[in-house]
């Protein structure tokens, strides 16, 4: 049997994956494979579903317009979701798309939209966030899709944090301090990272976040970053100091 071509298309599917199983792909993925990348019969794809690892599959004969793939063997075992939870005030369309994609690429295990005093977007399209998360995970090779929470008010999110989690609060008003040292010297525990809206946090919100027992205030330097930039910078730091970039 052929080896997995390293550049085979990766697809997230809902079905269970097991040896010999056949999967009929939904119309959008069928269209993509047939008409966009023109995968021939017998061509290889990689499938994952967030539960059963990554599988090599080949396109089988199908009815007109139908795209069916036959599963051959598991190439990678399932890996657990990332340990970092990422909370953020939702942004407008294009920036939110970007931020969700980048957060997934950076390996977050949970995406939690929080509504803050100065959040400008109060309705969040979770289907769109999910689609962005799927696209990013297909592209970057992760096997666990992050969990996606319903939007919550900021104080609810703080109250719901489990006791062992460290709340890393990115605050552009914090005195500039070495972020590596800050993260390294902070108490043990998985990180819940918080980035605010374009309008920043209110004074009351800052006080509430600082009063929480396990908060670490993180400065990302002397410039005010846009929220989507701050997300990538902060996630890179957390992964480097406490996460899976250390391996
Ligand atoms: N209040 C700001 C803009 C907020 S930037 C203004 O003057 O308009 C959006 C979010 O990005 C902030 O809430 C914060 O979480 C994060 N952020 C941006 N720059 C940062 C920095 N230098 N240090 C820490 N966090 C930063």
């Amino acid at each position: 049997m052929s080896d997995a071509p390293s550049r085979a298309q990766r697809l997230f599917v809902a079905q269970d994956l097991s040896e010999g199983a056949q999967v009929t792909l939904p119309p959008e993925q069928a269209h993509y494979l047939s008409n966009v990348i023109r995968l021939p019969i017998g061509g290889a794809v990689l499938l994952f579903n967030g539960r059963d690892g990554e599988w090599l599959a080949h396109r089988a004969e199908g009815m007109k317009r139908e795209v069916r793939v036959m599963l051959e063997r598991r190439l990678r075992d399932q890996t657990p979701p990332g340990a970092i939870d990422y909370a953020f005030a939702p942004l407008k369309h294009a920036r939110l798309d970007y931020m969700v994609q980048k957060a997934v690429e950076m390996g977050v295990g949970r995406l939690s939209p929080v509504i803050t005093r100065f959040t400008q977007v109060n309705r969040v399209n979770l289907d769109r966030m999910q689609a962005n998360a799927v696209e990013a995970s297909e592209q970057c090779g992760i096997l666990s899709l992050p969990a996606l929470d319903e939007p919550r008010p900021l104080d609810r999110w703080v109250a719901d944090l489990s006791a062992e989690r460290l709340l890393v609060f990115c605050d552009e008003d914090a005195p500039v301090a070495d972020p590596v040292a800050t993260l390294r010297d902070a108490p043990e525990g998985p990180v819940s990272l918080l980035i605010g809206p374009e309008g920043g946090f209110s004074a009351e919100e800052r006080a509430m976040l600082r009063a929480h027992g396990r908060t670490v205030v993180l400065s990302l330097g002397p410039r005010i970053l846009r929220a989507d930039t701050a997300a990538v910078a902060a996630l890179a730091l957390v992964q480097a100091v406490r996460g899976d970039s250390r391996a």
Side-chain angles (χ1 to χ4, degrees):
M1 286 274 155
S2 65
D3 276 321
S6 57
R7 305 185 67 165
Q9 178 67 40
R10 300 181 78 245
L11 293 176
F12 177 81
V13 294
Q15 292 94 331
D16 291 339
L17 302 175
S18 60
E19 201 177 314
Q22 290 207 13
V23 174
T24 301
L25 296 173
E28 216 175 292
Q29 286 175 334
H31 167 75
Y32 183 74
L33 288 189
S34 263
N35 306 326
V36 181
I37 65 170
R38 295 180 184 280
L39 185 77
I41 302 296
V45 286
L46 302 174
L47 300 189
F48 66 109
N49 62 3
R51 306 182 299 275
D52 301 322
E54 182 175 71
W55 286 77
L56 174 64
H58 290 98
R59 183 170 178 184
E61 297 276 358
M63 305 286 280
K64 197 161 179 273
R65 294 209 182 191
E66 188 187 63
V67 173
R68 278 191 302 136
V69 296
M70 167 84 85
L71 271 74
E72 187 181 316
R73 66 194 155 94
R74 194 193 330 251
L75 298 180
R76 290 200 285 155
D77 288 336
Q78 183 61 40
T79 48
I84 304 172
D85 285 0
Y86 176 50
F88 54 95
L91 309 172
K92 292 192 182 135
H93 289 309
R95 282 187 186 278
L96 183 60
D97 291 347
Y98 175 89
M99 193 165 74
V100 168
Q101 290 163 10
K102 299 307 133 184
V104 174
E105 287 174 46
M106 291 306 301
V108 305
R110 176 174 294 274
L111 293 161
S112 307
V114 293
I115 308 303
T116 67
R117 171 108 155 70
F118 299 133
T119 301
Q120 282 160 348
V121 177
N122 284 313
R123 286 187 36 219
V124 186
N125 184 339
L126 288 178
D127 290 340
R128 185 169 169 143
M129 280 181 53
Q130 175 76 9
N132 276 304
V134 166
E135 189 185 315
S137 62
E138 288 177 341
Q139 201 212 324
C140 74
I142 61 167
L143 296 181
S144 286
L145 226 54
L148 182 52
D149 287 338
E150 294 280 339
R152 263 173 298 182
L154 178 66
D155 53 357
R156 269 279 312 285
W157 176 77
V158 173
D160 290 346
L161 277 179
S162 64
E164 86 282 3
R165 286 205 158 257
L166 192 67
L167 196 177
V168 175
F169 163 34
C170 292
D171 185 359
E172 71 279 13
D173 277 359
V176 174
D178 179 353
V180 170
T182 305
L183 288 170
R184 192 189 50 220
D185 299 342
E188 295 269 294
V191 165
S192 290
L193 179 74
L194 174 66
I195 301 277
E198 295 298 346
F201 291 101
S202 71
E204 295 75 35
E205 288 171 337
R206 284 202 162 83
M208 185 265 289
L209 289 164
R210 282 165 186 270
H212 180 264
R214 288 177 59 83
T215 297
V216 171
V217 179
L218 191 67
S219 165
L220 299 170
R223 291 159 298 277
I224 294 179
L225 308 176
R226 297 201 69 147
D228 46 351
T229 318
V232 180
L235 286 167
L237 281 164
V238 174
Q239 287 291 30
V241 180
R242 306 175 68 106
D244 59 14
S245 307
R246 286 173 306 168

